[in-house]
Amino acid sequence: MERSPISTSPRRRGKAGVATLASALALIAGLYATQAAALSLAPALRPGEADYRACPQGQAWKNGEAARLQRERLRRPSSAPRDPALRENVLRWGHQTLFGGYDRYYALNAANAAADAAADAAASAADAAADAATPPGARPVQRKPAEPRVSPAQARAAAQRLREILQRRPMPGVDQVGADGVDALWQAIYRDHYDRASQLRWAEAFLDTQRRVPGADGHLIREAMEKVDRLRLDDGRPQRFGTQFEFVDDKVAQRPIESAQVAEAERREFERMPMALEICLRKRLNAMRVSIPGM
């Protein structure tokens, strides 16, 4: 999903930018080699019919999948967003933070930026020379248009503008910025992990907004629940929605939870899978990586 900020010349990408990307990926791979290898060897498992039948409310939940999807579609507003200008800004700033590499490449130094610029200039000069050498009347060379360039400074500025939107109470919902605008706001929350206390407040406010103005995709709701739970656990507090699990004596077990009754009620409000059913399916699969529709 993420895209590198490496510039694209009319003919080719600058080699310096490619080297930067390769170095960053190599560093990440080196730090997390063990975990990545383990995950790559453990594909996501999907429960079968027997698993649903063996779990409480399992068959009823599976049979109701189509009806839940239909209700989710009906909750989406049919009218245009009330604030189209804000929606356009949110989408543009979200693109800039991603394309400008704020989340992983914002520390690009001046030397790399200069090398990218030099590579672009050289490629442009080569393009000009090729144009000059083209015989009159010959078919012009078709070139891929250059991608828009977003500097790290522009990406940081866009991220700051998004933070200002995220601090609004209530946070904009689908009625104001549309489903794609809400998606962009969630991606901004998910990527902005440098201030984890703020990220937790934003994720909780995001869910509060979805209660007030339903219409966001169900997978965003689940991602927000998972983010809240992970951040709370990292802070030494029990999770709120019961989405986080771990292995204990080679068996899948739920991590500490604040209140099972509250978690079930909140999941029910968002029409997410009942916690008891998720626990049962996970224990039957005995895997951390699972693919369960509606979870």
Side-chain angles (χ1 to χ4, degrees), residues 51-62 264 267 273-283 292-293:
D51 297 311
Y52 282 102
R53 286 196 300 268
C55 289
Q57 306 175 20
Q59 194 62 55
W61 176 266
K62 183 171 176 58
E264 287 285 23
R267 283 169 172 248
M273 175 175 285
M275 189 173 65
L277 175 55
E278 180 179 351
I279 291 173
C280 179
L281 291 174
R282 283 183 176 275
K283 285 185 175 181
I292 304 178

